Amino acid sequence: MSTLRAGLVGLGAMGRNHARVLAGLDGVELVGVMDPAGDPHGAARGAPVVATLPEFLALGLDYAVVACPTALHEEVGLALAAHGVCALIEKPLAHSPRAARGLVDAFEQAGLVAGVGHIERFNPALRNLRRRLEAGELGELFQVVTRRQGPFPHRIADVGVVKDLATHDIDLTAWVTGQAYTSVSARTLTKSGRPHEDMVMVTGDLADGTLVSHLVNWLSPLKERFTAVTGERGCFVADTLTADLTFHANGAVATEWEAIAAFRGVSEGDMIRFATPKREPLLVEHETFRDAVAGKDAKDGTGIVTLAEGLRTVEVADAVLEAARGRGVVRLPGARRAATETATGVRPLA
């Protein structure tokens, strides 16, 4: 594989992590970085740092990683597509569904590889969970519950907790279950004095009837990254901070008490903590995107997060904010189509 020329837009907290991985990525040369603020932390690892988009586009790039503020994703992404540069755009794909749709159309029309940086898809615990759900180990799914909370990250200024954090949970839920969201309701709080929400509680439905619940905030001193999927055979719990996956099986306990024997409930059964190889999710994400640009198939069958999938996540996040503004339950665009596809055996996001 010939060496790919890669560039990076943005040297904020996440951008610096991207620079670290790109600088050591096999088959890739980090040839330049764009950030109007320069490189005060020395994160570019010797690569030239430019201040403007025209200078960046003149570097002769094969692909670029876009890690600038969300509000700038549309402008930068459209410029890359117009100049024939493939792009890995940090989540969320864009600040609005309209902008996200424009990016989808631009890269599709240009015939370029483009993806969204939903890094949780590359977490070992969630990859293991998805494989086990696909194999039917849990049987019929009943519910997905996620909790993502912790202190306020001062690096975030242009969006609230829904678009910055909840998009992780929206994407991973649709991905591990293979089901699209059909409706959401939500409540938010704004307590930090910023113009955007700091906490959100979401309930929703997936196309197969699975119930969904998300608690996401920047108001807790407790840092938590919790995903639980409950089904007819038990419950999987993934901790994406430690990349651990645990299975809690339904117990089979015989009873001779006639009064409760007819109750169809569950009891505690065996608990299994799975040993899983743990590689850095960001490195795996970059390897997957590099291979996609080079025209190579994904090693484990799990490829990049497409812009179409990123658009769907932005649409769900937008519906969450709409619901929180007091409009009750909001149905998602294409919800009827998604439900029909599920009924006919097609898993929309698999």
Side-chain angles (χ1 to χ4, degrees), residues 4-335:
L4 295 171
R5 295 173 59 83
L8 171 64
V9 179
L11 281 172
M14 194 64 201
R16 293 194 293 273
N17 280 317
H18 281 296
R20 170 181 57 82
V21 174
L22 282 169
L25 190 61
D26 290 341
V28 172
E29 179 187 1
L30 178 60
V31 297
V33 178
M34 172 191 157
D35 195 313
D39 183 19
H41 302 281
R45 311 294 177 101
V49 180
V50 300
T52 67
L53 198 50
E55 291 175 288
F56 184 69
L57 294 170
L59 294 172
L61 304 170
D62 293 307
Y63 75 90
V65 177
V66 179
C68 55
T70 303
L72 300 176
H73 286 187
E74 180 183 22
E75 175 189 354
V76 174
L78 291 177
L80 292 171
H83 284 78
V85 180
C86 300
L88 174 61
I89 303 173
E90 260 300 341
K91 64 82 204 163
L93 173 56
H95 64 280
S96 70
R98 179 202 57 77
R101 168 56 67 186
L103 289 170
V104 172
D105 291 343
F107 281 94
E108 283 185 353
Q109 291 168 11
L112 296 168
V113 175
V116 187
H118 282 291
I119 194 171
E120 292 286 43
R121 292 206 193 185
F122 302 92
N123 188 287
L126 293 177
R127 287 195 157 198
N128 193 355
L129 171 58
R130 175 184 158 100
R131 285 192 294 268
R132 293 178 182 279
L133 294 181
E134 285 183 328
E137 293 185 18
L138 205 55
E140 180 186 355
L141 301 189
F142 300 153
Q143 183 184 52
V144 180
V145 174
T146 71
R147 298 194 301 269
R148 184 176 300 269
Q149 50 187 342
F152 172 67
H154 296 284
R155 62 185 174 82
I156 303 299
D158 60 335
V159 295
V161 76
V162 170
K163 290 185 178 178
D164 183 66
L165 280 189
T167 46
H168 280 303
D169 297 285
I170 291 166
D171 179 74
L172 75 85
T173 296
W175 180 65
V176 299
T177 62
Q179 301 296 326
Y181 284 75
T182 57
S183 66
V184 292
S185 59
R187 295 291 183 271
T188 58
L189 288 178
T190 303
K191 294 293 185 180
S192 68
R194 299 167 63 254
H196 303 292
E197 75 287 346
D198 309 304
M199 174 180 282
V200 64
M201 296 182 66
V202 182
T203 58
D205 297 285
L206 301 183
D208 65 348
T210 299
L211 300 179
V212 173
S213 171
H214 304 308
L215 170 62
V216 188
N217 73 67
W218 284 326
L219 300 176
S220 172
L222 166 68
K223 187 170 184 179
E224 186 178 32
R225 301 289 185 267
F226 171 94
T227 300
V229 182
T230 303
E232 63 179 324
R233 294 175 186 156
C235 177
F236 281 110
V237 177
D239 182 336
T240 53
L241 285 177
T242 61
D244 289 327
L245 180 66
T246 306
F247 177 58
H248 299 259
N250 290 345
V253 180
T255 179
E256 297 179 3
W257 187 0
E258 184 177 350
I260 66 171
F263 174 70
R264 296 182 60 194
V266 299
S267 59
E268 290 185 72
D270 295 332
M271 183 178 73
I272 303 170
R273 180 173 171 271
F274 299 103
T276 305
K278 297 177 181 180
R279 301 184 68 223
E280 182 186 3
L282 186 62
L283 173 59
V284 178
E285 179 181 69
H286 272 275
E287 290 174 343
T288 303
F289 190 77
R290 173 203 63 195
D291 291 349
V293 173
K296 298 175 63 177
D297 293 333
K299 295 178 182 178
D300 62 355
T302 303
I304 66 173
V305 184
T306 68
L307 296 196
E309 291 173 305
L311 166 62
R312 184 68 178 178
T313 297
V314 172
E315 288 175 338
V316 176
D318 196 62
V320 166
L321 291 171
E322 181 182 353
R325 287 192 290 266
R327 300 189 182 184
V329 177
V330 175
R331 289 190 60 81
L332 274 299

